[in-house]
Amino acid sequence: MITVLKSGVSEQQRNQLIEWFEDQGLRVHISEGEYQTVLGLIGDTSRIDEELVASLDMVDTVKRISEPYKKANRKFHPEQTKITVGDVTIGDGSLVVLAGPCSVESEEQILEVAEKVKAAGASILWGGAFKSRTSPYAFQGMQAEGIGLLLAAKKATGLPIMTEITSAENLALYEDVDILQVGSRSMQNFELLKQLGRCNKPVLLKRGISNTLKELLMSAEYIMAGGNEQVILCERGIRTFETTTKNTLDLSAIPALREMTHLPILVDPSQATGNARMVEPMALAATAAGADGLIIEVHNNPGKALCDGALALTPEQFAAAAEKLRKIHKALK
Amino acid sequence: MITVLKSGVSEQQRNQLIEWFEDQGLRVHISEGEYQTVLGLIGDTSRIDEELVASLDMVDTVKRISEPYKKANRKFHPEQTKITVGDVTIGDGSLVVLAGPCSVESEEQILEVAEKVKAAGASILWGGAFKSRTSPYAFQGMQAEGIGLLLAAKKATGLPIMTEITSAENLALYEDVDILQVGSRSMQNFELLKQLGRCNKPVLLKRGISNTLKELLMSAEYIMAGGNEQVILCERGIRTFETTTKNTLDLSAIPALREMTHLPILVDPSQATGNARMVEPMALAATAAGADGLIIEVHNNPGKALCDGALALTPEQFAAAAEKLRKIHKALK
Amino acid sequence: MITVLKSGVSEQQRNQLIEWFEDQGLRVHISEGEYQTVLGLIGDTSRIDEELVASLDMVDTVKRISEPYKKANRKFHPEQTKITVGDVTIGDGSLVVLAGPCSVESEEQILEVAEKVKAAGASILWGGAFKSRTSPYAFQGMQAEGIGLLLAAKKATGLPIMTEITSAENLALYEDVDILQVGSRSMQNFELLKQLGRCNKPVLLKRGISNTLKELLMSAEYIMAGGNEQVILCERGIRTFETTTKNTLDLSAIPALREMTHLPILVDPSQATGNARMVEPMALAATAAGADGLIIEVHNNPGKALCDGALALTPEQFAAAAEKLRKIHKALK
Amino acid sequence: MITVLKSGVSEQQRNQLIEWFEDQGLRVHISEGEYQTVLGLIGDTSRIDEELVASLDMVDTVKRISEPYKKANRKFHPEQTKITVGDVTIGDGSLVVLAGPCSVESEEQILEVAEKVKAAGASILWGGAFKSRTSPYAFQGMQAEGIGLLLAAKKATGLPIMTEITSAENLALYEDVDILQVGSRSMQNFELLKQLGRCNKPVLLKRGISNTLKELLMSAEYIMAGGNEQVILCERGIRTFETTTKNTLDLSAIPALREMTHLPILVDPSQATGNARMVEPMALAATAAGADGLIIEVHNNPGKALCDGALALTPEQFAAAAEKLRKIHKALK
């Protein structure tokens, strides 16, 4: 970390600051220029609050030159993390496809979707039970009953399952769920992350719509610091000024995260675009950019289930997309 | 709500959609143009999911022409909401100043700050006990013990107190707290909002750094729909491309929210700018724009308490700012 | 266009507004609801200024339901536009690669790059002569001399050339240039666009870093309204809160623009990411998403030409990337 | 400037880079850490292209610790710049109000507005002649004739005038205009800025809707580097995800720019909010935050002149707002 002092700072003020840095276990290198003095801090600066140092009257600017995340950092853990659920491994160079409906609606529906996506090549079943909705008047999901139906589909098809957790209070309900999904609105629900850090279960962490990649890794660090290192990252679109698409899918997050971290990286083109017609091209693009897998919304009857299915692909559209995804993935091997 | 159909939609498809709208209790007006058909939906459309209708193949665009929030909406509740804690009323045209430290650190500290901000004109004491920090390695606050110290300061000074709640599990600890603060990262923690909707206590709801004013009102609606109508809104800066300030304080939120809702509106210039030198000018600006009050970070010794105080005003700086705030508020009466 | 009136608007005010709309050649449908009156405007609303109507005291909201661009609109021109320069056609389903250096530096350099990118499969040579730089102290390009060197390279290799135009005053210099490039900072330089509308030459229009897709099409419309319909669009990254990459490449612009317009769509992964290591994965992603072509920065010696080359691929890296691009493009046929 | 090298960089590579920095006239301080080597560059780094150094394979990160703008920088020119036109001085602690119509429409209109805003306390007349419109089909202004009418109003009232210049080709028409306005879409039209750098006339430079404060100052630097140091800055709202207001007025730009630069700072609340009802509260807020002046749109008959006037205040609304502005400005003295 580099701290640049303003011109005119007294020696006493400067020494007070240096002493404080040394109390935090850091060594301080001083280099004096014509207009400013630069302090170079050497040691573990991950506990230093950059913004607060920057706000000191005597400080001109502060620049962090090493990252504040440790366990998620590829620099210290160069080897790629692989996460296995059932027969499926995420992060080993294969392309893993998770598919299912935004909301579990009935046993019939989830069984039909599970069988069809399995047949089309999906290897993990995904479905919504506890839903996080902007409006208090919108359908909040089948909740505990929905988890039960997902478990029934798991039993029937053998597919591992993933579903969202919105509060640590419900953790007991997720015992047989294979991957716990943290939604984008919960990415900085630190109380929840701390609890998941004490679980022994893979966690899929979705990027918040206005969170940087560094913040995503700091949230992964919350889970890993608690002892649970099975974290999967997921890019799902960020909020920008553009309104043509629901969010702006940030695919450069894939090569950027690949350098920053050893954790696997998935992409959710359904939530990002909010538009069934854009799901296939964006899924293909994510695959070409090197994603470890995809989350795709599929519904057995988007026509009838107007409220939720319309965003989703039909099983037939999903099968056609999955076929192309395999071609792209193979072409790049 | 207006739904524009694509050209070439069959009559059968159209009728199916109209039927579905009618099943939701809406009346549908059809108006046919040369290139498109427009369906006007009349009735309570707050339960209709706009994005999902938009994603239907036959639909070109959907436009909402009435707001999906009801209880927070000034249209249906023209009278301004006033919220009283102790002797203080927020929303009655006065300027209410909340002040205190980002983190409660000791009994000595919080008592000194409380007395000094009271003397300078603050009417509510604010302080952090449960902290929401980006890094798992950063100080997480004094937690339950911190709430105890705030209550001691309340007893000593008579000031009502406000502090943040990060999880509904801790609700019992807040029994004697006067205002429950929901931080910006929790603005869409809907599980927490639902629980607060069942409390009989004022809630201060901070806008998320990337949430629209409509989403802020939808989150207020979550609390109000549960039966608790004592909601105070707070603008505290949004995330933009500009990096000179920590966030971009959106003061036009004040006149905009004034038209949209009857709830009181506070502004937090400390968190928004992240810079003690900008707190006074932004507090003055918020007052001139018509805010009902301000939240200002004050620390008794920002020099020593390097970790947290540096962002804050000293009690002397706060007293000087409070004096100017009163002048501005008076000049506009 | 839909105009929603506030409740309490007098009949006289309403009639005045309706009259004004009718004076603009529109028919007005009135539909009265309990809380509001909705005016539906039928006819060519492209000349109506939406924001200004919205700001009228009596108006609650205005919603445009047809697009204000006509000539660029796929609705009115369903057939895909193809643009031919030399032997190359852009927009016919093939993948066209433009490659070259950010700045033309010498005859030797541009000839070497031109030959190598041609050998690797590029079909148009791109290079910078008039440069648009944030700092007045930065190198502003070789200007007229640089165009001369590009023409020499065109002669030597037979490749058509593209280079940026920053001011209409220099138009005479571009007589033998095949494609005129409008940079992202000039996307709304309407004086320049008007002049280019009078040229009989293909124009590549780069999206501004904070412009919406609709604004991009309105700028294309400026050129097309002047009579020049040979416009090629280019996505090159938008400005967001994320700072890990220079800009955020918005690849969902490809399927979105494909629906909105009949104009060809290119992608520039070099400028978008600002990082040579991310160019290949983003170029592959753009191809998989359906782009008509790519613009890639290539320099013969990025090591020596420190100032500009570092962002660029070496000819060898470019050849390797081009090989993969062809595989992806073929896999999707 | 600080350059952090990756671990594993060979001594030869490192020396090559150091040599290159020294060739640019810089001294290089080397400090070696466990995981990385840091190069401190001392001297004038304003010509070094930060992004390009960052993109070198051997480089981990680059951090600029001094600003790349010199003439606009308060560090090197601590004294506040004052700019005088006619009897009016901008930047001397007074509050200067510029007022007038978005478009000059007729002699009658501009004379009436000029007289009324003068009577209400405006000291500079502002009006649009060459208009920069998103749509090619929208009214492009009265152009040269409009400038003539502004000059007539200047003669009649004695008020200095300001109007926008969209192309350097028209410079001769502006001989008797007192302040040349560069619109936000032209903030990075560097060809125009270079020409204005050779004028001997004050230039008002509006911030681009997605430009940082540093970029605003770099554009001011373009004008000042040419020899014209009479530059006035203007904040007019930035583009964010929020859609309730046209743009988000960034009032923290006022205290931020005050520290960064010695140039005067104006605010345009009309363009920022796009809503006549928000102009007064935002003008008051800007004044309280310390702006040197305001630009306010005023039209003699917003009701009739539907197309442009609706955004504007009436002369009566303007007079009432100006009265309050003076009260705020006086209260803070």
Side-chain angles (χ1 to χ4, degrees), chain D residues 302-324:
Chain D
K304 263 205 185 140
L306 192 85
C307 163
D308 264 69
L311 173 69
L313 301 189
T314 62
E316 294 68 38
Q317 290 170 326
F318 172 71
E323 177 72 23
K324 289 192 198 168

PDB file of all heavy atoms in Angstrom, chain D residues 302-324:
ATOM      1  N   PRO D 302     -43.961  29.378 -21.518  1.00  0.00           N
ATOM      2  CA  PRO D 302     -43.796  27.919 -21.636  1.00  0.00           C
ATOM      3  C   PRO D 302     -45.085  27.231 -22.045  1.00  0.00           C
ATOM      4  O   PRO D 302     -45.056  26.166 -22.659  1.00  0.00           O
ATOM      5  CB  PRO D 302     -43.373  27.492 -20.231  1.00  0.00           C
ATOM      6  CG  PRO D 302     -42.886  28.722 -19.539  1.00  0.00           C
ATOM      7  CD  PRO D 302     -43.628  29.864 -20.172  1.00  0.00           C
ATOM      8  N   GLY D 303     -46.208  27.830 -21.743  1.00  0.00           N
ATOM      9  CA  GLY D 303     -47.480  27.201 -22.084  1.00  0.00           C
ATOM     10  C   GLY D 303     -47.674  27.110 -23.583  1.00  0.00           C
ATOM     11  O   GLY D 303     -48.006  26.056 -24.113  1.00  0.00           O
ATOM     12  N   LYS D 304     -47.448  28.217 -24.298  1.00  0.00           N
ATOM     13  CA  LYS D 304     -47.653  28.215 -25.748  1.00  0.00           C
ATOM     14  C   LYS D 304     -46.493  27.566 -26.477  1.00  0.00           C
ATOM     15  O   LYS D 304     -46.670  26.735 -27.339  1.00  0.00           O
ATOM     16  CB  LYS D 304     -47.822  29.658 -26.255  1.00  0.00           C
ATOM     17  CG  LYS D 304     -49.273  30.049 -26.414  1.00  0.00           C
ATOM     18  CD  LYS D 304     -49.441  31.154 -27.431  1.00  0.00           C
ATOM     19  CE  LYS D 304     -50.900  31.597 -27.477  1.00  0.00           C
ATOM     20  NZ  LYS D 304     -51.016  33.048 -27.610  1.00  0.00           N
ATOM     21  N   ALA D 305     -45.265  28.018 -26.133  1.00  0.00           N
ATOM     22  CA  ALA D 305     -44.080  27.501 -26.798  1.00  0.00           C
ATOM     23  C   ALA D 305     -43.822  26.103 -26.303  1.00  0.00           C
ATOM     24  O   ALA D 305     -42.802  25.818 -25.701  1.00  0.00           O
ATOM     25  CB  ALA D 305     -42.900  28.399 -26.496  1.00  0.00           C
ATOM     26  N   LEU D 306     -44.799  25.244 -26.538  1.00  0.00           N
ATOM     27  CA  LEU D 306     -44.757  23.918 -25.950  1.00  0.00           C
ATOM     28  C   LEU D 306     -43.433  23.214 -26.194  1.00  0.00           C
ATOM     29  O   LEU D 306     -42.867  22.568 -25.321  1.00  0.00           O
ATOM     30  CB  LEU D 306     -45.879  23.069 -26.547  1.00  0.00           C
ATOM     31  CG  LEU D 306     -46.102  21.767 -25.805  1.00  0.00           C
ATOM     32  CD1 LEU D 306     -47.019  21.957 -24.626  1.00  0.00           C
ATOM     33  CD2 LEU D 306     -46.622  20.692 -26.726  1.00  0.00           C
ATOM     34  N   CYS D 307     -42.933  23.342 -27.384  1.00  0.00           N
ATOM     35  CA  CYS D 307     -41.793  22.523 -27.761  1.00  0.00           C
ATOM     36  C   CYS D 307     -40.567  22.756 -26.915  1.00  0.00           C
ATOM     37  O   CYS D 307     -39.824  21.844 -26.637  1.00  0.00           O
ATOM     38  CB  CYS D 307     -41.462  22.745 -29.226  1.00  0.00           C
ATOM     39  SG  CYS D 307     -39.828  22.164 -29.649  1.00  0.00           S
ATOM     40  N   ASP D 308     -40.322  23.993 -26.499  1.00  0.00           N
ATOM     41  CA  ASP D 308     -39.109  24.223 -25.742  1.00  0.00           C
ATOM     42  C   ASP D 308     -39.322  24.790 -24.353  1.00  0.00           C
ATOM     43  O   ASP D 308     -38.537  24.553 -23.440  1.00  0.00           O
ATOM     44  CB  ASP D 308     -38.156  25.148 -26.508  1.00  0.00           C
ATOM     45  CG  ASP D 308     -37.142  24.342 -27.270  1.00  0.00           C
ATOM     46  OD1 ASP D 308     -37.549  23.689 -28.231  1.00  0.00           O
ATOM     47  OD2 ASP D 308     -35.976  24.347 -26.868  1.00  0.00           O
ATOM     48  N   GLY D 309     -40.390  25.568 -24.232  1.00  0.00           N
ATOM     49  CA  GLY D 309     -40.561  26.324 -23.008  1.00  0.00           C
ATOM     50  C   GLY D 309     -40.905  25.475 -21.795  1.00  0.00           C
ATOM     51  O   GLY D 309     -40.650  25.888 -20.667  1.00  0.00           O
ATOM     52  N   ALA D 310     -41.463  24.299 -22.024  1.00  0.00           N
ATOM     53  CA  ALA D 310     -42.020  23.533 -20.910  1.00  0.00           C
ATOM     54  C   ALA D 310     -40.988  23.146 -19.876  1.00  0.00           C
ATOM     55  O   ALA D 310     -41.271  23.023 -18.698  1.00  0.00           O
ATOM     56  CB  ALA D 310     -42.705  22.287 -21.446  1.00  0.00           C
ATOM     57  N   LEU D 311     -39.771  22.968 -20.322  1.00  0.00           N
ATOM     58  CA  LEU D 311     -38.693  22.631 -19.410  1.00  0.00           C
ATOM     59  C   LEU D 311     -38.307  23.838 -18.564  1.00  0.00           C
ATOM     60  O   LEU D 311     -37.749  23.720 -17.475  1.00  0.00           O
ATOM     61  CB  LEU D 311     -37.498  22.180 -20.251  1.00  0.00           C
ATOM     62  CG  LEU D 311     -36.187  21.930 -19.544  1.00  0.00           C
ATOM     63  CD1 LEU D 311     -36.313  20.702 -18.674  1.00  0.00           C
ATOM     64  CD2 LEU D 311     -35.082  21.736 -20.574  1.00  0.00           C
ATOM     65  N   ALA D 312     -38.588  25.007 -19.087  1.00  0.00           N
ATOM     66  CA  ALA D 312     -38.082  26.259 -18.524  1.00  0.00           C
ATOM     67  C   ALA D 312     -38.988  26.797 -17.419  1.00  0.00           C
ATOM     68  O   ALA D 312     -40.153  26.432 -17.315  1.00  0.00           O
ATOM     69  CB  ALA D 312     -37.988  27.289 -19.643  1.00  0.00           C
ATOM     70  N   LEU D 313     -38.410  27.689 -16.614  1.00  0.00           N
ATOM     71  CA  LEU D 313     -39.214  28.465 -15.678  1.00  0.00           C
ATOM     72  C   LEU D 313     -39.867  29.619 -16.424  1.00  0.00           C
ATOM     73  O   LEU D 313     -39.335  30.116 -17.416  1.00  0.00           O
ATOM     74  CB  LEU D 313     -38.312  29.038 -14.572  1.00  0.00           C
ATOM     75  CG  LEU D 313     -37.533  28.032 -13.720  1.00  0.00           C
ATOM     76  CD1 LEU D 313     -36.873  28.771 -12.545  1.00  0.00           C
ATOM     77  CD2 LEU D 313     -38.422  26.911 -13.201  1.00  0.00           C
ATOM     78  N   THR D 314     -41.019  30.084 -15.930  1.00  0.00           N
ATOM     79  CA  THR D 314     -41.566  31.352 -16.411  1.00  0.00           C
ATOM     80  C   THR D 314     -40.730  32.469 -15.786  1.00  0.00           C
ATOM     81  O   THR D 314     -40.063  32.261 -14.765  1.00  0.00           O
ATOM     82  CB  THR D 314     -43.021  31.531 -15.965  1.00  0.00           C
ATOM     83  OG1 THR D 314     -43.039  31.564 -14.532  1.00  0.00           O
ATOM     84  CG2 THR D 314     -43.904  30.395 -16.443  1.00  0.00           C
ATOM     85  N   PRO D 315     -40.784  33.691 -16.354  1.00  0.00           N
ATOM     86  CA  PRO D 315     -40.057  34.793 -15.719  1.00  0.00           C
ATOM     87  C   PRO D 315     -40.481  34.986 -14.260  1.00  0.00           C
ATOM     88  O   PRO D 315     -39.643  35.311 -13.413  1.00  0.00           O
ATOM     89  CB  PRO D 315     -40.443  35.995 -16.587  1.00  0.00           C
ATOM     90  CG  PRO D 315     -40.703  35.409 -17.936  1.00  0.00           C
ATOM     91  CD  PRO D 315     -41.351  34.082 -17.667  1.00  0.00           C
ATOM     92  N   GLU D 316     -41.740  34.730 -13.942  1.00  0.00           N
ATOM     93  CA  GLU D 316     -42.208  34.906 -12.563  1.00  0.00           C
ATOM     94  C   GLU D 316     -41.593  33.848 -11.645  1.00  0.00           C
ATOM     95  O   GLU D 316     -41.150  34.135 -10.536  1.00  0.00           O
ATOM     96  CB  GLU D 316     -43.739  34.821 -12.497  1.00  0.00           C
ATOM     97  CG  GLU D 316     -44.457  35.959 -13.212  1.00  0.00           C
ATOM     98  CD  GLU D 316     -44.275  35.917 -14.740  1.00  0.00           C
ATOM     99  OE1 GLU D 316     -44.278  34.800 -15.312  1.00  0.00           O
ATOM    100  OE2 GLU D 316     -44.085  36.994 -15.355  1.00  0.00           O
ATOM    101  N   GLN D 317     -41.589  32.594 -12.119  1.00  0.00           N
ATOM    102  CA  GLN D 317     -40.961  31.532 -11.317  1.00  0.00           C
ATOM    103  C   GLN D 317     -39.471  31.826 -11.136  1.00  0.00           C
ATOM    104  O   GLN D 317     -38.906  31.613 -10.067  1.00  0.00           O
ATOM    105  CB  GLN D 317     -41.122  30.170 -12.017  1.00  0.00           C
ATOM    106  CG  GLN D 317     -42.556  29.657 -12.014  1.00  0.00           C
ATOM    107  CD  GLN D 317     -42.734  28.442 -12.919  1.00  0.00           C
ATOM    108  OE1 GLN D 317     -42.087  28.320 -13.957  1.00  0.00           O
ATOM    109  NE2 GLN D 317     -43.632  27.547 -12.524  1.00  0.00           N
ATOM    110  N   PHE D 318     -38.852  32.326 -12.190  1.00  0.00           N
ATOM    111  CA  PHE D 318     -37.434  32.643 -12.100  1.00  0.00           C
ATOM    112  C   PHE D 318     -37.187  33.743 -11.074  1.00  0.00           C
ATOM    113  O   PHE D 318     -36.256  33.663 -10.259  1.00  0.00           O
ATOM    114  CB  PHE D 318     -36.899  33.074 -13.474  1.00  0.00           C
ATOM    115  CG  PHE D 318     -35.491  33.585 -13.414  1.00  0.00           C
ATOM    116  CD1 PHE D 318     -34.431  32.713 -13.179  1.00  0.00           C
ATOM    117  CD2 PHE D 318     -35.212  34.939 -13.558  1.00  0.00           C
ATOM    118  CE1 PHE D 318     -33.127  33.183 -13.103  1.00  0.00           C
ATOM    119  CE2 PHE D 318     -33.918  35.411 -13.487  1.00  0.00           C
ATOM    120  CZ  PHE D 318     -32.877  34.531 -13.252  1.00  0.00           C
ATOM    121  N   ALA D 319     -38.035  34.770 -11.084  1.00  0.00           N
ATOM    122  CA  ALA D 319     -37.855  35.882 -10.133  1.00  0.00           C
ATOM    123  C   ALA D 319     -37.982  35.381  -8.701  1.00  0.00           C
ATOM    124  O   ALA D 319     -37.201  35.763  -7.819  1.00  0.00           O
ATOM    125  CB  ALA D 319     -38.869  36.993 -10.423  1.00  0.00           C
ATOM    126  N   ALA D 320     -38.941  34.487  -8.460  1.00  0.00           N
ATOM    127  CA  ALA D 320     -39.130  33.955  -7.108  1.00  0.00           C
ATOM    128  C   ALA D 320     -37.923  33.115  -6.689  1.00  0.00           C
ATOM    129  O   ALA D 320     -37.431  33.212  -5.552  1.00  0.00           O
ATOM    130  CB  ALA D 320     -40.409  33.100  -7.061  1.00  0.00           C
ATOM    131  N   ALA D 321     -37.403  32.312  -7.630  1.00  0.00           N
ATOM    132  CA  ALA D 321     -36.236  31.488  -7.307  1.00  0.00           C
ATOM    133  C   ALA D 321     -35.011  32.364  -7.050  1.00  0.00           C
ATOM    134  O   ALA D 321     -34.244  32.122  -6.111  1.00  0.00           O
ATOM    135  CB  ALA D 321     -35.959  30.502  -8.445  1.00  0.00           C
ATOM    136  N   ALA D 322     -34.827  33.397  -7.874  1.00  0.00           N
ATOM    137  CA  ALA D 322     -33.649  34.263  -7.742  1.00  0.00           C
ATOM    138  C   ALA D 322     -33.634  34.948  -6.375  1.00  0.00           C
ATOM    139  O   ALA D 322     -32.579  35.107  -5.753  1.00  0.00           O
ATOM    140  CB  ALA D 322     -33.628  35.291  -8.869  1.00  0.00           C
ATOM    141  N   GLU D 323     -34.812  35.320  -5.914  1.00  0.00           N
ATOM    142  CA  GLU D 323     -34.957  35.939  -4.594  1.00  0.00           C
ATOM    143  C   GLU D 323     -34.451  34.983  -3.495  1.00  0.00           C
ATOM    144  O   GLU D 323     -33.674  35.371  -2.618  1.00  0.00           O
ATOM    145  CB  GLU D 323     -36.454  36.253  -4.389  1.00  0.00           C
ATOM    146  CG  GLU D 323     -36.843  36.835  -3.072  1.00  0.00           C
ATOM    147  CD  GLU D 323     -36.390  38.278  -2.924  1.00  0.00           C
ATOM    148  OE1 GLU D 323     -36.173  38.940  -3.966  1.00  0.00           O
ATOM    149  OE2 GLU D 323     -36.201  38.720  -1.776  1.00  0.00           O
ATOM    150  N   LYS D 324     -34.867  33.733  -3.580  1.00  0.00           N
ATOM    151  CA  LYS D 324     -34.422  32.755  -2.574  1.00  0.00           C
ATOM    152  C   LYS D 324     -32.923  32.475  -2.696  1.00  0.00           C
ATOM    153  O   LYS D 324     -32.236  32.262  -1.694  1.00  0.00           O
ATOM    154  CB  LYS D 324     -35.191  31.434  -2.758  1.00  0.00           C
ATOM    155  CG  LYS D 324     -36.647  31.524  -2.344  1.00  0.00           C
ATOM    156  CD  LYS D 324     -37.268  30.136  -2.274  1.00  0.00           C
ATOM    157  CE  LYS D 324     -38.789  30.220  -2.299  1.00  0.00           C
ATOM    158  NZ  LYS D 324     -39.402  28.900  -2.505  1.00  0.00           N
TER     159      LYS D 324
END
